[in-house]
Amino acid sequence: MKLQTKKWIRLSVILYIVILSAVAVATLAWFVIDETASLQTDTDMKITTGNKLEIRPLDADGNPDENYQWGQMQNIDVEDRTYPDITYDYINKTFYFPTSVDENGHAVDESYREVSDSISKDYYITVNLRFRSTLKMEVYLEDDSYVSGLAQTLVGDGSDNKSSFGNFSRDGIAGAVRVAFFERDPHSYDGQQFLRNIWVPNDTYKLTTNTSDGQSPSYTFSTGENMHDPTQNIETDLGYMSKQSDGTMTKKVWTQNDYLDRIVTLGSQELASVEDADGNDVTPMINNAAPVITFTDADLKESGFYEKDLVIKIWIEGTDREANSVFTDGQLKYNFKFSGVQKDTNPVDDPKNENSFENRPVIFEDGELYFKPTAEGAEKVAVTQNDNLLYSFDGKFWSPYNNSIPNNSMPVDAEFFYVKYGETSLYKASKYTSVMLVPVTD
């Protein structure tokens, strides 16, 4: 495709779900938290697509649901059901739940059970969709997607659906919700699913339990209005329970590599953006979103459409600090919006490119970034904001490099950080590389 004729394609899917949650009071010894929660739904699901993309709901076996046809708007019946909190073991690709509880809901041992396909409808919400388009592209979750409380106010005296345990809304249960996107391989004999991304919509939600001797615990809750300000003590141990070789369960925490490789996405600010605040189309930016569907040549059908299936699974993660009985009877609402974008791989990812990190390494000295000299007698060259580099200390969130890195933004124990070339209107962001960190001395 010639550069001057390249077009941006904006394809949108909007998925609205309003879900009522009823939190069950119970404790799970093999979960990190002390309470469980549950999710109840009794509403329809509305899905709308843009002009270049169509969807069709599928049945539980991945076949076209005869009750629906291809279209740009679908209303899907959602069965009224209560869902307990569970955990998704990313390593073993399996959902688990505890099996032995007493009359008070307390786990009595370390026993667990796998959530098999035959019983999955009792433990998490599954949405099966088939996407089709005449264009080969990638589909991303857009940044105006959200999972939030139905309440207009979540914290303070004016909180809607107020909790009896504190000055906050029960709808804070949204902090424990997880959404996983699985691309189904239509060419495998069993329709194998491949995890593309796990989305944690509200990682800045913070439930704090305050205890003192002889006193009942008290609770405070905040939604993280300062977003991902590192001084706000945002939840850092997000993870899951994982089955070990000896059969026991242990807590695993998402690693920097998991975030760098976009297996996990936090919040909405790192998702794709295609509109401004007024709803006007802008140059599509993928940002740090992971594609949930990638159409390839193999997906082109005789009909002239590229087709691929997306399986969405929604659950309450029992290891999350907001999976707590203080949010009993919380209410949730969902808005998933997908956009399709066509962008090429960044040229600097080619090791032969003169600006690749292999040929033009980046170093850090005295609070600034430099391109390391690669020829004898050459001098280092300062990196400027015009070089369009981004940096990150945790792999979760990226900041533009504007001629220096503030010393107070560096973690005390950090030994290195990551840099990459930022996305442009034509190209995706580059792959990342690590840079040794030498803090500035006062």
Side-chain angles (χ1 to χ4, degrees):
M1 182 179 292
K2 294 182 179 179
L3 185 63
Q4 61 266 32
T5 62
K6 195 176 188 75
K7 300 292 184 182
W8 294 116
I9 298 100
R10 178 175 183 261
L11 314 171
S12 299
V13 181
I14 304 176
L15 178 115
Y16 298 99
I17 316 170
V18 179
I19 296 179
L20 304 181
S21 72
V23 181
V25 181
T27 63
L28 301 180
W30 56 276
F31 272 12
V32 175
I33 49 85
D34 291 329
E35 290 82 15
T36 68
S38 64
L39 191 67
Q40 183 176 349
T41 176
D42 58 356
T43 186
D44 288 343
M45 185 182 303
K46 180 181 178 182
I47 306 174
T48 307
T49 70
N51 292 331
K52 300 293 184 180
L53 189 64
E54 290 184 308
I55 54 173
R56 184 175 182 179
L58 307 175
D59 61 24
D61 296 322
N63 300 314
D65 191 324
E66 296 303 324
N67 295 314
Y68 303 94
Q69 301 299 319
W70 287 104
Q72 296 176 320
M73 180 177 292
Q74 306 284 359
N75 287 289
I76 303 174
D77 293 331
V78 179
E79 184 178 359
D80 185 3
R81 185 179 293 274
T82 297
Y83 301 88
D85 64 333
I86 56 178
T87 193
Y88 178 67
D89 182 351
Y90 167 70
I91 296 175
N92 295 300
K93 313 301 182 187
T94 305
F95 286 97
Y96 290 107
F97 69 97
T99 56
S100 299
V101 295
D102 60 22
E103 65 276 9
N104 297 314
H106 294 83
V108 297
D109 56 34
E110 300 286 322
S111 63
Y112 55 87
R113 183 180 175 186
E114 176 182 335
V115 182
S116 63
D117 290 343
S118 63
I119 62 172
S120 63
K121 65 180 181 180
D122 295 324
Y123 293 91
Y124 55 83
I125 298 171
T126 301
V127 182
N128 292 282
L129 299 172
R130 180 161 295 166
F131 286 69
R132 78 175 185 182
S133 175
T134 57
L135 302 167
K136 185 172 69 172
M137 45 71 179
E138 293 180 317
V139 179
Y140 296 87
L141 189 64
E142 200 174 318
D143 61 0
D144 54 359
S145 300
Y146 58 80
V147 176
S148 65
L150 193 61
Q152 294 294 318
T153 304
L154 291 176
V155 181
D157 293 333
S159 299
D160 303 311
N161 195 20
K162 195 170 182 179
S163 173
S164 58
F165 290 88
N167 201 19
F168 50 83
S169 172
R170 296 179 173 94
D171 297 1
I173 188 62
V177 171
R178 301 289 187 269
V179 183
F181 301 95
F182 296 84
E183 186 179 70
R184 193 197 304 272
D185 181 3
H187 312 292
S188 64
Y189 73 94
D190 59 353
Q192 187 174 1
Q193 298 176 21
F194 297 93
L195 177 68
R196 298 304 302 264
N197 182 250
I198 292 177
W199 182 37
V200 183
N202 300 298
D203 65 302
T204 61
Y205 282 20
K206 181 182 179 182
L207 178 69
T208 302
T209 303
N210 309 295
T211 59
S212 58
D213 293 340
Q215 301 292 324
S216 298
S218 62
Y219 302 89
T220 56
F221 175 68
S222 64
T223 57
E225 296 299 330
N226 292 324
M227 296 303 292
H228 298 99
D229 182 342
T231 66
Q232 297 302 305
N233 191 28
I234 301 305
E235 193 166 10
T236 57
D237 62 347
L238 293 169
Y240 51 92
M241 299 301 296
S242 181
K243 180 181 177 181
Q244 305 304 293
S245 58
D246 61 1
T248 61
M249 303 293 287
T250 188
K251 173 72 180 288
K252 296 289 185 181
V253 176
W254 295 111
T255 67
Q256 284 190 349
N257 285 339
D258 294 329
Y259 293 111
L260 286 165
D261 296 337
R262 297 182 295 170
I263 294 170
V264 185
T265 301
L266 305 183
S268 60
Q269 67 182 30
E270 298 290 296
L271 299 178
S273 58
V274 299
E275 293 180 341
D276 60 19
D278 297 322
N280 301 311
D281 289 351
V282 297
T283 299
M285 299 297 285
I286 296 169
N287 298 320
N288 204 37
V292 297
I293 280 182
T294 299
F295 287 121
T296 67
D297 291 337
D299 300 319
L300 183 61
K301 309 299 182 182
E302 292 183 359
S303 62
F305 286 95
Y306 295 91
E307 293 185 13
K308 209 158 220 179
D309 298 350
L310 181 67
V311 181
I312 305 173
K313 298 181 180 181
I314 307 166
W315 74 98
I316 290 181
E317 174 55 53
T319 63
D320 192 278
R321 64 187 174 193
E322 280 75 59
N324 193 297
S325 58
V326 303
F327 296 119
T328 297
D329 297 329
Q331 301 180 27
L332 304 178
K333 59 183 178 181
Y334 289 72
N335 175 27
F336 299 146
K337 189 173 183 180
F338 300 94
S339 292
V341 179
Q342 286 183 319
K343 286 195 176 184
D344 290 333
T345 300
N346 201 304
V348 300
D349 284 343
D350 183 351
K352 297 179 181 179
N353 187 286
E354 63 180 3
N355 290 320
S356 68
F357 290 126
E358 288 85 354
N359 294 322
R360 204 181 188 199
V362 176
I363 58 176
F364 177 80
E365 293 181 4
D366 298 324
E368 298 183 14
L369 292 177
Y370 295 89
F371 292 112
K372 182 179 179 180
T374 54
E376 186 176 352
E379 297 183 356
K380 63 186 181 184
V381 177
V383 175
T384 72
Q385 63 187 48
N386 294 329
D387 292 304
N388 191 29
L389 280 183
L390 306 176
Y391 68 92
S392 173
F393 288 100
D394 56 14
K396 301 175 185 177
F397 310 105
W398 294 82
S399 301
Y401 178 75
N402 294 320
N403 301 326
S404 66
I405 297 178
N407 200 34
N408 61 6
S409 70
M410 302 176 191
V412 175
D413 57 350
E415 297 180 355
F416 58 88
F417 61 103
Y418 308 97
V419 298
K420 65 180 179 180
Y421 284 95
E423 181 181 4
T424 70
S425 60
L426 296 176
Y427 302 113
K428 301 176 185 179
S430 74
K431 297 178 181 178
Y432 62 87
T433 189
S434 59
V435 178
M436 294 303 298
L437 179 61
V438 182
V440 177
T441 55
D442 295 330

